[in-house]
Amino acid sequence: EVHVVESGGGLVQAGGSLRLSCAASGFTFDDYAIGWFRQAPGKEREGVSCYSTSDGSTYYADSVKGRFTISRDNADNTMYLQMNSLKPEDTAVYYCAVVATSSGYRCRGPIPFADYWGQGTQVTVSS
């Protein structure tokens, strides 16, 4: 059974940092991409970042570029989203998603669809 579990959300003041984790297990894809999405109340879901295990490529939305960093711990198959210089507009529920890909898949934008989603973790940035 596949499990995708996010953690690390919380309340932080503007300018602060948080690190989100995405623990994915139970799937046997040779190549896959991890996407981080967020959804604020009353707004559409936004693709924030992407990481491809096939070639290590990454993608960041313009709204987070230079402030967020996606990374992977190969030892335990955990993905991280380091979020620095947080702004009130970063407040949202953050979701991790996994999609199987072909070899050589390159992150050029948010993953277009997902095979598995996590349950989400709330990030609240106070001004």
Side-chain angles (χ1 to χ4, degrees), residues 88-103:
E89 50 264 43
D90 294 319
T91 295
V93 178
Y94 284 71
Y95 298 91
C96 176
V98 180
V99 62
T101 67
S102 56
S103 177

Side-chain angles (χ1 to χ4, degrees), residues 20 28 36 39-40 43 48 52 61 66-67 85 92 94 97 100 114 122:
L20 305 184
T28 58
W36 283 99
Q39 188 163 21
K43 294 189 177 181
V48 172
S52 171
R67 300 187 298 121
S85 303
Y94 284 71
Q122 176 70 47

Side-chain angles (χ1 to χ4, degrees), residues 46-62:
E46 176 187 14
V48 172
S49 184
C50 171
Y51 176 94
S52 171
T53 63
S54 180
D55 69 354
S57 60
T58 58
Y59 158 83
Y60 298 96
D62 288 342

Side-chain angles (χ1 to χ4, degrees), residues 20-109:
L20 305 184
S21 299
C22 174
S25 62
F27 55 84
T28 58
F29 312 143
D30 290 333
D31 297 292
Y32 58 93
I34 296 283
W36 283 99
F37 295 80
R38 67 185 182 186
Q39 188 163 21
K43 294 189 177 181
E44 292 188 355
R45 187 174 63 198
E46 176 187 14
V48 172
S49 184
C50 171
Y51 176 94
S52 171
T53 63
S54 180
D55 69 354
S57 60
T58 58
Y59 158 83
Y60 298 96
D62 288 342
S63 56
V64 305
K65 200 172 293 182
R67 300 187 298 121
F68 290 12
T69 304
I70 192 170
S71 62
R72 178 190 185 196
D73 185 331
N74 291 333
D76 60 7
N77 212 27
T78 299
M79 299 297 300
Y80 299 97
L81 186 68
Q82 178 67 43
M83 307 186 297
N84 299 329
S85 303
L86 283 162
K87 305 175 182 180
E89 50 264 43
D90 294 319
T91 295
V93 178
Y94 284 71
Y95 298 91
C96 176
V98 180
V99 62
T101 67
S102 56
S103 177
Y105 178 86
R106 185 164 186 83
C107 283
R108 301 181 187 277

